[in-house]
Amino acid sequence: MARLTGCFIGFLLAAAFSSASADENRARINYLIHCQGCHLPEAAGVPGHVPRMHGFLGYFQHSERGRKFIMQVPGAATASLSDAHLAELMNWLLTAYSADELPADFKPYTKLEVSEYRPHLEKDPDNTRAEILSDIARTLPALAKQLKVDDGY
């Protein structure tokens, strides 16, 4: 009986860990399907054309407007993903490629939050991006230097 109990507990633990990995794997695969075409496999972007996310996207989490913005840019807002899967993808992207830039109090996106932000498609992402980064630099001077790094965009 003890052996069966041990096997059952082992099975439950394996299932729990494999489902967490499945979420991360699903997010990574969704990035490859929905984002890498423009932002490239390592989220590097294309200087002068597509903003990099690697080492930069987390800065948007320092502002409520920035947090909303990254769910409203055309690529995210119109992706053929459920709100839950878009939240999962963005949370993975932020922690995998921009963890050092996140605020200490970063809160992962929820399905409900994405469903609130996403319908408001950003019509002028280039100028809005610049405004948000300028606002963050003004309110958080310690980040100003990092936000002025020329990412070619």
Side-chain angles (χ1 to χ4, degrees):
M1 182 68 165
R3 180 178 274 221
L4 284 176
T5 302
C7 287
F8 181 70
I9 290 171
F11 173 78
L12 289 177
L13 287 172
F17 284 113
S18 67
S19 68
S21 296
D23 291 349
E24 185 174 304
N25 285 333
R26 180 175 52 222
R28 184 177 51 77
I29 289 167
N30 278 331
Y31 175 82
L32 296 175
I33 293 168
H34 298 280
C35 308
Q36 85 163 351
C38 294
H39 291 280
L40 304 180
E42 296 298 319
V46 179
H49 299 285
V50 179
R52 72 182 167 104
M53 294 188 288
H54 193 132
F56 201 84
L57 188 64
Y59 289 126
F60 288 93
Q61 300 300 300
H62 290 267
S63 130
E64 185 61 31
R65 187 175 177 205
R67 187 170 172 83
K68 291 177 182 178
F69 171 75
I70 63 173
M71 286 299 177
Q72 296 168 335
V73 295
T78 64
S80 60
L81 292 168
S82 69
D83 292 338
H85 287 167
L86 182 57
E88 178 181 85
L89 183 154
M90 196 60 70
N91 291 331
W92 170 80
L93 183 61
L94 285 161
T95 57
Y97 286 109
S98 199
D100 291 343
E101 293 74 33
L102 291 171
D105 63 348
F106 168 69
K107 292 176 182 60
Y109 285 98
T110 65
K111 172 186 171 184
L112 182 62
E113 189 177 18
V114 172
S115 69
E116 179 186 333
Y117 299 157
R118 192 177 192 184
H120 307 283
L121 182 67
E122 176 55 53
K123 293 181 179 20
D124 189 4
D126 296 344
N127 286 324
T128 301
R129 178 182 191 269
E131 288 173 10
I132 291 168
L133 294 175
S134 178
D135 289 346
I136 293 170
R138 193 171 29 263
T139 58
L140 299 168
L143 294 180
K145 184 177 180 184
Q146 290 91 328
L147 295 175
K148 289 186 180 180
V149 170
D150 182 14
D151 65 352
Y153 193 78

